[in-house]
PDB file of all heavy atoms in Angstrom:
ATOM      1  N   ALA A   1      89.199  88.242  64.075  1.00 67.00           N
ATOM      2  CA  ALA A   1      90.193  87.190  63.910  1.00 67.00           C
ATOM      3  C   ALA A   1      89.608  85.911  64.468  1.00 67.00           C
ATOM      4  O   ALA A   1      88.511  85.907  65.038  1.00 67.00           O
ATOM      5  CB  ALA A   1      91.500  87.564  64.632  1.00 67.00           C
ATOM      6  N   ALA A   2      90.333  84.822  64.320  1.00 80.00           N
ATOM      7  CA  ALA A   2      89.889  83.567  64.921  1.00 80.00           C
ATOM      8  C   ALA A   2      89.781  83.743  66.428  1.00 80.00           C
ATOM      9  O   ALA A   2      90.661  84.326  67.066  1.00 80.00           O
ATOM     10  CB  ALA A   2      90.881  82.462  64.586  1.00 80.00           C
ATOM     11  N   ASN A   3      88.699  83.258  67.002  1.00 91.00           N
ATOM     12  CA  ASN A   3      88.459  83.349  68.444  1.00 91.00           C
ATOM     13  C   ASN A   3      88.396  84.784  68.955  1.00 91.00           C
ATOM     14  O   ASN A   3      88.736  85.054  70.112  1.00 91.00           O
ATOM     15  CB  ASN A   3      89.519  82.564  69.220  1.00 91.00           C
ATOM     16  CG  ASN A   3      89.363  81.069  69.044  1.00 91.00           C
ATOM     17  OD1 ASN A   3      88.296  80.580  68.671  1.00 91.00           O
ATOM     18  ND2 ASN A   3      90.422  80.328  69.299  1.00 91.00           N
ATOM     19  N   VAL A   4      87.953  85.703  68.120  1.00 94.00           N
ATOM     20  CA  VAL A   4      87.751  87.093  68.546  1.00 94.00           C
ATOM     21  C   VAL A   4      86.465  87.613  67.912  1.00 94.00           C
ATOM     22  O   VAL A   4      86.367  87.704  66.690  1.00 94.00           O
ATOM     23  CB  VAL A   4      88.927  88.007  68.137  1.00 94.00           C
ATOM     24  CG1 VAL A   4      88.614  89.463  68.493  1.00 94.00           C
ATOM     25  CG2 VAL A   4      90.220  87.570  68.808  1.00 94.00           C
ATOM     26  N   PHE A   5      85.486  87.919  68.748  1.00 94.00           N
ATOM     27  CA  PHE A   5      84.259  88.562  68.292  1.00 94.00           C
ATOM     28  C   PHE A   5      83.946  89.729  69.211  1.00 94.00           C
ATOM     29  O   PHE A   5      84.024  89.609  70.429  1.00 94.00           O
ATOM     30  CB  PHE A   5      83.083  87.584  68.284  1.00 94.00           C
ATOM     31  CG  PHE A   5      83.053  86.684  67.084  1.00 94.00           C
ATOM     32  CD1 PHE A   5      83.785  85.515  67.070  1.00 94.00           C
ATOM     33  CD2 PHE A   5      82.306  87.020  65.962  1.00 94.00           C
ATOM     34  CE1 PHE A   5      83.764  84.676  65.970  1.00 94.00           C
ATOM     35  CE2 PHE A   5      82.282  86.187  64.849  1.00 94.00           C
ATOM     36  CZ  PHE A   5      83.019  85.011  64.850  1.00 94.00           C
ATOM     37  N   ILE A   6      83.612  90.853  68.614  1.00 94.00           N
ATOM     38  CA  ILE A   6      83.262  92.043  69.381  1.00 94.00           C
ATOM     39  C   ILE A   6      81.984  92.621  68.791  1.00 94.00           C
ATOM     40  O   ILE A   6      81.893  92.794  67.574  1.00 94.00           O
ATOM     41  CB  ILE A   6      84.395  93.096  69.333  1.00 94.00           C
ATOM     42  CG1 ILE A   6      85.700  92.508  69.874  1.00 94.00           C
ATOM     43  CG2 ILE A   6      84.008  94.333  70.135  1.00 94.00           C
ATOM     44  CD1 ILE A   6      86.900  93.422  69.747  1.00 94.00           C
ATOM     45  N   ARG A   7      81.031  92.898  69.645  1.00 93.00           N
ATOM     46  CA  ARG A   7      79.785  93.476  69.167  1.00 93.00           C
ATOM     47  C   ARG A   7      80.073  94.801  68.480  1.00 93.00           C
ATOM     48  O   ARG A   7      80.905  95.599  68.955  1.00 93.00           O
ATOM     49  CB  ARG A   7      78.825  93.670  70.338  1.00 93.00           C
ATOM     50  CG  ARG A   7      77.396  94.007  69.920  1.00 93.00           C
ATOM     51  CD  ARG A   7      76.533  94.259  71.151  1.00 93.00           C
ATOM     52  NE  ARG A   7      76.562  93.137  72.081  1.00 93.00           N
ATOM     53  CZ  ARG A   7      75.820  92.049  71.965  1.00 93.00           C
ATOM     54  NH1 ARG A   7      75.019  91.907  70.924  1.00 93.00           N
ATOM     55  NH2 ARG A   7      75.885  91.095  72.871  1.00 93.00           N
ATOM     56  N   SER A   8      79.410  95.055  67.387  1.00 91.00           N
ATOM     57  CA  SER A   8      79.624  96.279  66.632  1.00 91.00           C
ATOM     58  C   SER A   8      79.437  97.508  67.523  1.00 91.00           C
ATOM     59  O   SER A   8      78.424  97.649  68.209  1.00 91.00           O
ATOM     60  CB  SER A   8      78.645  96.344  65.455  1.00 91.00           C
ATOM     61  OG  SER A   8      78.846  97.513  64.705  1.00 91.00           O
ATOM     62  N   GLY A   9      80.445  98.375  67.555  1.00 91.00           N
ATOM     63  CA  GLY A   9      80.390  99.592  68.353  1.00 91.00           C
ATOM     64  C   GLY A   9      80.858  99.445  69.784  1.00 91.00           C
ATOM     65  O   GLY A   9      80.986 100.453  70.496  1.00 91.00           O
ATOM     66  N   PHE A  10      81.150  98.226  70.216  1.00 94.00           N
ATOM     67  CA  PHE A  10      81.590  98.006  71.594  1.00 94.00           C
ATOM     68  C   PHE A  10      83.119  98.094  71.662  1.00 94.00           C
ATOM     69  O   PHE A  10      83.830  97.387  70.955  1.00 94.00           O
ATOM     70  CB  PHE A  10      81.131  96.638  72.094  1.00 94.00           C
ATOM     71  CG  PHE A  10      81.572  96.315  73.492  1.00 94.00           C
ATOM     72  CD1 PHE A  10      81.018  96.973  74.579  1.00 94.00           C
ATOM     73  CD2 PHE A  10      82.544  95.344  73.738  1.00 94.00           C
ATOM     74  CE1 PHE A  10      81.428  96.676  75.878  1.00 94.00           C
ATOM     75  CE2 PHE A  10      82.948  95.048  75.025  1.00 94.00           C
ATOM     76  CZ  PHE A  10      82.390  95.716  76.096  1.00 94.00           C
ATOM     77  N   LEU A  11      83.615  98.960  72.530  1.00 94.00           N
ATOM     78  CA  LEU A  11      85.052  99.103  72.747  1.00 94.00           C
ATOM     79  C   LEU A  11      85.377  98.450  74.083  1.00 94.00           C
ATOM     80  O   LEU A  11      85.132  99.023  75.141  1.00 94.00           O
ATOM     81  CB  LEU A  11      85.461 100.572  72.746  1.00 94.00           C
ATOM     82  CG  LEU A  11      85.133 101.358  71.469  1.00 94.00           C
ATOM     83  CD1 LEU A  11      85.496 102.827  71.641  1.00 94.00           C
ATOM     84  CD2 LEU A  11      85.867 100.756  70.271  1.00 94.00           C
ATOM     85  N   TRP A  12      85.929  97.256  74.031  1.00 95.00           N
ATOM     86  CA  TRP A  12      86.072  96.471  75.260  1.00 95.00           C
ATOM     87  C   TRP A  12      87.022  97.117  76.252  1.00 95.00           C
ATOM     88  O   TRP A  12      86.903  96.919  77.465  1.00 95.00           O
ATOM     89  CB  TRP A  12      86.526  95.049  74.940  1.00 95.00           C
ATOM     90  CG  TRP A  12      88.012  94.884  74.750  1.00 95.00           C
ATOM     91  CD1 TRP A  12      88.687  94.787  73.582  1.00 95.00           C
ATOM     92  CD2 TRP A  12      89.001  94.805  75.781  1.00 95.00           C
ATOM     93  NE1 TRP A  12      90.025  94.658  73.801  1.00 95.00           N
ATOM     94  CE2 TRP A  12      90.245  94.666  75.143  1.00 95.00           C
ATOM     95  CE3 TRP A  12      88.956  94.840  77.170  1.00 95.00           C
ATOM     96  CZ2 TRP A  12      91.447  94.574  75.854  1.00 95.00           C
ATOM     97  CZ3 TRP A  12      90.147  94.746  77.882  1.00 95.00           C
ATOM     98  CH2 TRP A  12      91.369  94.601  77.223  1.00 95.00           C
ATOM     99  N   ASP A  13      87.965  97.933  75.759  1.00 94.00           N
ATOM    100  CA  ASP A  13      88.980  98.511  76.652  1.00 94.00           C
ATOM    101  C   ASP A  13      88.669  99.957  77.037  1.00 94.00           C
ATOM    102  O   ASP A  13      89.578 100.700  77.442  1.00 94.00           O
ATOM    103  CB  ASP A  13      90.364  98.423  76.003  1.00 94.00           C
ATOM    104  CG  ASP A  13      90.391  99.039  74.609  1.00 94.00           C
ATOM    105  OD1 ASP A  13      89.328  99.380  74.082  1.00 94.00           O
ATOM    106  OD2 ASP A  13      91.490  99.174  74.042  1.00 94.00           O
ATOM    107  N   SER A  14      87.397 100.357  76.952  1.00 95.00           N
ATOM    108  CA  SER A  14      87.041 101.757  77.213  1.00 95.00           C
ATOM    109  C   SER A  14      86.396 101.979  78.573  1.00 95.00           C
ATOM    110  O   SER A  14      85.999 103.107  78.888  1.00 95.00           O
ATOM    111  CB  SER A  14      86.074 102.247  76.127  1.00 95.00           C
ATOM    112  OG  SER A  14      84.842 101.528  76.174  1.00 95.00           O
ATOM    113  N   ALA A  15      86.267 100.957  79.394  1.00 97.00           N
ATOM    114  CA  ALA A  15      85.550 101.096  80.668  1.00 97.00           C
ATOM    115  C   ALA A  15      86.380 101.839  81.706  1.00 97.00           C
ATOM    116  O   ALA A  15      87.614 101.889  81.645  1.00 97.00           O
ATOM    117  CB  ALA A  15      85.161  99.723  81.205  1.00 97.00           C
ATOM    118  N   ASP A  16      85.675 102.396  82.679  1.00 98.00           N
ATOM    119  CA  ASP A  16      86.341 103.023  83.826  1.00 98.00           C
ATOM    120  C   ASP A  16      86.778 101.968  84.843  1.00 98.00           C
ATOM    121  O   ASP A  16      87.759 102.166  85.569  1.00 98.00           O
ATOM    122  CB  ASP A  16      85.385 104.006  84.517  1.00 98.00           C
ATOM    123  CG  ASP A  16      84.923 105.112  83.589  1.00 98.00           C
ATOM    124  OD1 ASP A  16      85.780 105.734  82.929  1.00 98.00           O
ATOM    125  OD2 ASP A  16      83.702 105.351  83.517  1.00 98.00           O
ATOM    126  N   ALA A  17      86.039 100.866  84.894  1.00 98.00           N
ATOM    127  CA  ALA A  17      86.335  99.815  85.877  1.00 98.00           C
ATOM    128  C   ALA A  17      86.051  98.452  85.268  1.00 98.00           C
ATOM    129  O   ALA A  17      85.194  98.306  84.391  1.00 98.00           O
ATOM    130  CB  ALA A  17      85.488 100.009  87.136  1.00 98.00           C
ATOM    131  N   TYR A  18      86.778  97.454  85.757  1.00 98.00           N
ATOM    132  CA  TYR A  18      86.605  96.077  85.303  1.00 98.00           C
ATOM    133  C   TYR A  18      86.466  95.167  86.514  1.00 98.00           C
ATOM    134  O   TYR A  18      87.256  95.250  87.463  1.00 98.00           O
ATOM    135  CB  TYR A  18      87.808  95.627  84.461  1.00 98.00           C
ATOM    136  CG  TYR A  18      87.916  96.352  83.145  1.00 98.00           C
ATOM    137  CD1 TYR A  18      88.551  97.587  83.077  1.00 98.00           C
ATOM    138  CD2 TYR A  18      87.368  95.827  81.980  1.00 98.00           C
ATOM    139  CE1 TYR A  18      88.624  98.283  81.880  1.00 98.00           C
ATOM    140  CE2 TYR A  18      87.454  96.501  80.780  1.00 98.00           C
ATOM    141  CZ  TYR A  18      88.082  97.738  80.732  1.00 98.00           C
ATOM    142  OH  TYR A  18      88.154  98.417  79.544  1.00 98.00           O
ATOM    143  N   LEU A  19      85.475  94.301  86.453  1.00 98.00           N
ATOM    144  CA  LEU A  19      85.290  93.276  87.480  1.00 98.00           C
ATOM    145  C   LEU A  19      85.637  91.933  86.865  1.00 98.00           C
ATOM    146  O   LEU A  19      85.023  91.508  85.881  1.00 98.00           O
ATOM    147  CB  LEU A  19      83.847  93.260  87.979  1.00 98.00           C
ATOM    148  CG  LEU A  19      83.310  94.557  88.582  1.00 98.00           C
ATOM    149  CD1 LEU A  19      81.844  94.386  88.959  1.00 98.00           C
ATOM    150  CD2 LEU A  19      84.122  94.971  89.811  1.00 98.00           C
ATOM    151  N   PHE A  20      86.613  91.257  87.438  1.00 98.00           N
ATOM    152  CA  PHE A  20      87.076  89.971  86.923  1.00 98.00           C
ATOM    153  C   PHE A  20      86.590  88.828  87.797  1.00 98.00           C
ATOM    154  O   PHE A  20      86.786  88.837  89.014  1.00 98.00           O
ATOM    155  CB  PHE A  20      88.611  89.920  86.896  1.00 98.00           C
ATOM    156  CG  PHE A  20      89.246  90.706  85.788  1.00 98.00           C
ATOM    157  CD1 PHE A  20      89.485  92.063  85.930  1.00 98.00           C
ATOM    158  CD2 PHE A  20      89.622  90.088  84.603  1.00 98.00           C
ATOM    159  CE1 PHE A  20      90.084  92.798  84.917  1.00 98.00           C
ATOM    160  CE2 PHE A  20      90.229  90.801  83.583  1.00 98.00           C
ATOM    161  CZ  PHE A  20      90.457  92.162  83.731  1.00 98.00           C
ATOM    162  N   ASP A  21      85.978  87.840  87.158  1.00 98.00           N
ATOM    163  CA  ASP A  21      85.816  86.552  87.810  1.00 98.00           C
ATOM    164  C   ASP A  21      87.227  85.994  88.061  1.00 98.00           C
ATOM    165  O   ASP A  21      88.187  86.410  87.396  1.00 98.00           O
ATOM    166  CB  ASP A  21      85.009  85.624  86.895  1.00 98.00           C
ATOM    167  CG  ASP A  21      84.954  84.202  87.398  1.00 98.00           C
ATOM    168  OD1 ASP A  21      84.556  83.999  88.551  1.00 98.00           O
ATOM    169  OD2 ASP A  21      85.339  83.298  86.633  1.00 98.00           O
ATOM    170  N   ILE A  22      87.352  85.061  88.972  1.00 98.00           N
ATOM    171  CA  ILE A  22      88.688  84.544  89.300  1.00 98.00           C
ATOM    172  C   ILE A  22      88.948  83.205  88.616  1.00 98.00           C
ATOM    173  O   ILE A  22      89.768  83.113  87.703  1.00 98.00           O
ATOM    174  CB  ILE A  22      88.863  84.419  90.829  1.00 98.00           C
ATOM    175  CG1 ILE A  22      88.837  85.816  91.473  1.00 98.00           C
ATOM    176  CG2 ILE A  22      90.194  83.718  91.156  1.00 98.00           C
ATOM    177  CD1 ILE A  22      88.950  85.808  92.995  1.00 98.00           C
ATOM    178  N   ASP A  23      88.235  82.161  89.029  1.00 97.00           N
ATOM    179  CA  ASP A  23      88.522  80.808  88.537  1.00 97.00           C
ATOM    180  C   ASP A  23      88.107  80.651  87.076  1.00 97.00           C
ATOM    181  O   ASP A  23      86.953  80.889  86.713  1.00 97.00           O
ATOM    182  CB  ASP A  23      87.799  79.773  89.395  1.00 97.00           C
ATOM    183  CG  ASP A  23      88.286  79.788  90.834  1.00 97.00           C
ATOM    184  OD1 ASP A  23      89.468  79.536  91.056  1.00 97.00           O
ATOM    185  OD2 ASP A  23      87.464  80.075  91.734  1.00 97.00           O
ATOM    186  N   GLY A  24      89.054  80.258  86.253  1.00 96.00           N
ATOM    187  CA  GLY A  24      88.795  80.064  84.845  1.00 96.00           C
ATOM    188  C   GLY A  24      88.935  81.322  84.024  1.00 96.00           C
ATOM    189  O   GLY A  24      88.979  81.255  82.795  1.00 96.00           O
ATOM    190  N   THR A  25      89.007  82.469  84.680  1.00 98.00           N
ATOM    191  CA  THR A  25      89.130  83.754  83.987  1.00 98.00           C
ATOM    192  C   THR A  25      90.522  84.335  84.192  1.00 98.00           C
ATOM    193  O   THR A  25      91.264  84.562  83.237  1.00 98.00           O
ATOM    194  CB  THR A  25      88.063  84.744  84.487  1.00 98.00           C
ATOM    195  OG1 THR A  25      86.763  84.207  84.232  1.00 98.00           O
ATOM    196  CG2 THR A  25      88.201  86.087  83.788  1.00 98.00           C
ATOM    197  N   LEU A  26      90.871  84.579  85.439  1.00 98.00           N
ATOM    198  CA  LEU A  26      92.213  85.073  85.754  1.00 98.00           C
ATOM    199  C   LEU A  26      93.200  83.929  85.936  1.00 98.00           C
ATOM    200  O   LEU A  26      94.370  84.039  85.543  1.00 98.00           O
ATOM    201  CB  LEU A  26      92.180  85.913  87.032  1.00 98.00           C
ATOM    202  CG  LEU A  26      91.528  87.290  86.933  1.00 98.00           C
ATOM    203  CD1 LEU A  26      91.371  87.889  88.318  1.00 98.00           C
ATOM    204  CD2 LEU A  26      92.336  88.218  86.028  1.00 98.00           C
ATOM    205  N   LEU A  27      92.725  82.846  86.528  1.00 98.00           N
ATOM    206  CA  LEU A  27      93.634  81.751  86.876  1.00 98.00           C
ATOM    207  C   LEU A  27      92.879  80.443  86.961  1.00 98.00           C
ATOM    208  O   LEU A  27      91.651  80.406  87.010  1.00 98.00           O
ATOM    209  CB  LEU A  27      94.332  82.060  88.206  1.00 98.00           C
ATOM    210  CG  LEU A  27      93.426  82.340  89.425  1.00 98.00           C
ATOM    211  CD1 LEU A  27      93.007  81.070  90.141  1.00 98.00           C
ATOM    212  CD2 LEU A  27      94.117  83.280  90.386  1.00 98.00           C
ATOM    213  N   ASN A  28      93.616  79.381  86.982  1.00 95.00           N
ATOM    214  CA  ASN A  28      93.075  78.045  87.246  1.00 95.00           C
ATOM    215  C   ASN A  28      93.845  77.436  88.412  1.00 95.00           C
ATOM    216  O   ASN A  28      95.080  77.516  88.458  1.00 95.00           O
ATOM    217  CB  ASN A  28      93.189  77.150  86.014  1.00 95.00           C
ATOM    218  CG  ASN A  28      92.167  77.502  84.955  1.00 95.00           C
ATOM    219  OD1 ASN A  28      90.966  77.354  85.163  1.00 95.00           O
ATOM    220  ND2 ASN A  28      92.620  77.990  83.801  1.00 95.00           N
ATOM    221  N   SER A  29      93.121  76.870  89.359  1.00 92.00           N
ATOM    222  CA  SER A  29      93.745  76.268  90.533  1.00 92.00           C
ATOM    223  C   SER A  29      93.906  74.766  90.303  1.00 92.00           C
ATOM    224  O   SER A  29      92.916  74.033  90.265  1.00 92.00           O
ATOM    225  CB  SER A  29      92.895  76.524  91.779  1.00 92.00           C
ATOM    226  OG  SER A  29      92.825  77.905  92.058  1.00 92.00           O
ATOM    227  N   ARG A  30      95.138  74.323  90.132  1.00 89.00           N
ATOM    228  CA  ARG A  30      95.405  72.899  89.910  1.00 89.00           C
ATOM    229  C   ARG A  30      95.575  72.135  91.216  1.00 89.00           C
ATOM    230  O   ARG A  30      95.541  70.910  91.237  1.00 89.00           O
ATOM    231  CB  ARG A  30      96.664  72.744  89.057  1.00 89.00           C
ATOM    232  CG  ARG A  30      96.657  73.529  87.760  1.00 89.00           C
ATOM    233  CD  ARG A  30      95.502  73.161  86.863  1.00 89.00           C
ATOM    234  NE  ARG A  30      95.561  73.856  85.578  1.00 89.00           N
ATOM    235  CZ  ARG A  30      94.582  73.872  84.701  1.00 89.00           C
ATOM    236  NH1 ARG A  30      93.460  73.227  84.952  1.00 89.00           N
ATOM    237  NH2 ARG A  30      94.712  74.538  83.555  1.00 89.00           N
ATOM    238  N   ASP A  31      95.759  72.868  92.322  1.00 95.00           N
ATOM    239  CA  ASP A  31      95.931  72.215  93.617  1.00 95.00           C
ATOM    240  C   ASP A  31      94.563  71.911  94.223  1.00 95.00           C
ATOM    241  O   ASP A  31      93.548  72.478  93.808  1.00 95.00           O
ATOM    242  CB  ASP A  31      96.724  73.136  94.551  1.00 95.00           C
ATOM    243  CG  ASP A  31      95.995  74.448  94.796  1.00 95.00           C
ATOM    244  OD1 ASP A  31      95.093  74.484  95.656  1.00 95.00           O
ATOM    245  OD2 ASP A  31      96.295  75.443  94.085  1.00 95.00           O
ATOM    246  N   PRO A  32      94.510  71.030  95.222  1.00 96.00           N
ATOM    247  CA  PRO A  32      93.218  70.640  95.814  1.00 96.00           C
ATOM    248  C   PRO A  32      92.836  71.416  97.076  1.00 96.00           C
ATOM    249  O   PRO A  32      91.917  70.999  97.784  1.00 96.00           O
ATOM    250  CB  PRO A  32      93.446  69.165  96.147  1.00 96.00           C
ATOM    251  CG  PRO A  32      94.892  69.109  96.555  1.00 96.00           C
ATOM    252  CD  PRO A  32      95.599  70.137  95.693  1.00 96.00           C
ATOM    253  N   VAL A  33      93.511  72.516  97.381  1.00 98.00           N
ATOM    254  CA  VAL A  33      93.291  73.190  98.664  1.00 98.00           C
ATOM    255  C   VAL A  33      91.839  73.640  98.823  1.00 98.00           C
ATOM    256  O   VAL A  33      91.191  73.353  99.839  1.00 98.00           O
ATOM    257  CB  VAL A  33      94.260  74.390  98.813  1.00 98.00           C
ATOM    258  CG1 VAL A  33      93.891  75.211 100.051  1.00 98.00           C
ATOM    259  CG2 VAL A  33      95.701  73.910  98.917  1.00 98.00           C
ATOM    260  N   HIS A  34      91.322  74.339  97.854  1.00 97.00           N
ATOM    261  CA  HIS A  34      89.939  74.819  97.927  1.00 97.00           C
ATOM    262  C   HIS A  34      88.963  73.641  97.929  1.00 97.00           C
ATOM    263  O   HIS A  34      87.997  73.610  98.704  1.00 97.00           O
ATOM    264  CB  HIS A  34      89.681  75.753  96.737  1.00 97.00           C
ATOM    265  CG  HIS A  34      88.394  76.514  96.807  1.00 97.00           C
ATOM    266  ND1 HIS A  34      87.906  77.249  95.748  1.00 97.00           N
ATOM    267  CD2 HIS A  34      87.472  76.665  97.796  1.00 97.00           C
ATOM    268  CE1 HIS A  34      86.774  77.813  96.074  1.00 97.00           C
ATOM    269  NE2 HIS A  34      86.480  77.475  97.318  1.00 97.00           N
ATOM    270  N   TYR A  35      89.209  72.679  97.090  1.00 97.00           N
ATOM    271  CA  TYR A  35      88.370  71.479  96.968  1.00 97.00           C
ATOM    272  C   TYR A  35      88.271  70.743  98.305  1.00 97.00           C
ATOM    273  O   TYR A  35      87.180  70.394  98.769  1.00 97.00           O
ATOM    274  CB  TYR A  35      88.967  70.598  95.882  1.00 97.00           C
ATOM    275  CG  TYR A  35      88.337  69.241  95.689  1.00 97.00           C
ATOM    276  CD1 TYR A  35      87.100  69.099  95.060  1.00 97.00           C
ATOM    277  CD2 TYR A  35      89.013  68.090  96.101  1.00 97.00           C
ATOM    278  CE1 TYR A  35      86.540  67.837  94.854  1.00 97.00           C
ATOM    279  CE2 TYR A  35      88.465  66.832  95.902  1.00 97.00           C
ATOM    280  CZ  TYR A  35      87.228  66.716  95.280  1.00 97.00           C
ATOM    281  OH  TYR A  35      86.685  65.468  95.075  1.00 97.00           O
ATOM    282  N   PHE A  36      89.412  70.508  98.941  1.00 97.00           N
ATOM    283  CA  PHE A  36      89.408  69.792 100.218  1.00 97.00           C
ATOM    284  C   PHE A  36      88.734  70.600 101.326  1.00 97.00           C
ATOM    285  O   PHE A  36      88.194  70.024 102.277  1.00 97.00           O
ATOM    286  CB  PHE A  36      90.840  69.442 100.631  1.00 97.00           C
ATOM    287  CG  PHE A  36      91.442  68.300  99.854  1.00 97.00           C
ATOM    288  CD1 PHE A  36      92.820  68.127  99.814  1.00 97.00           C
ATOM    289  CD2 PHE A  36      90.647  67.404  99.157  1.00 97.00           C
ATOM    290  CE1 PHE A  36      93.390  67.075  99.099  1.00 97.00           C
ATOM    291  CE2 PHE A  36      91.199  66.355  98.436  1.00 97.00           C
ATOM    292  CZ  PHE A  36      92.574  66.191  98.412  1.00 97.00           C
ATOM    293  N   ALA A  37      88.760  71.938 101.220  1.00 98.00           N
ATOM    294  CA  ALA A  37      88.147  72.770 102.254  1.00 98.00           C
ATOM    295  C   ALA A  37      86.635  72.558 102.310  1.00 98.00           C
ATOM    296  O   ALA A  37      86.036  72.603 103.396  1.00 98.00           O
ATOM    297  CB  ALA A  37      88.466  74.240 102.002  1.00 98.00           C
ATOM    298  N   PHE A  38      86.005  72.327 101.167  1.00 98.00           N
ATOM    299  CA  PHE A  38      84.575  71.999 101.171  1.00 98.00           C
ATOM    300  C   PHE A  38      84.320  70.746 102.005  1.00 98.00           C
ATOM    301  O   PHE A  38      83.417  70.705 102.845  1.00 98.00           O
ATOM    302  CB  PHE A  38      84.082  71.745  99.740  1.00 98.00           C
ATOM    303  CG  PHE A  38      83.872  72.973  98.910  1.00 98.00           C
ATOM    304  CD1 PHE A  38      84.807  73.340  97.956  1.00 98.00           C
ATOM    305  CD2 PHE A  38      82.737  73.756  99.073  1.00 98.00           C
ATOM    306  CE1 PHE A  38      84.603  74.464  97.167  1.00 98.00           C
ATOM    307  CE2 PHE A  38      82.528  74.887  98.288  1.00 98.00           C
ATOM    308  CZ  PHE A  38      83.469  75.245  97.327  1.00 98.00           C
TER     309      PHE A  38
END
């Protein structure tokens, strides 16, 4: 479909475990808390 590509033979939902990046993947931080901490 539009904006969906899967390598032939790859089942994306078949893994035993998933490691997720946080920023930009799970969530976006609109507040400046992390930014100001630097």
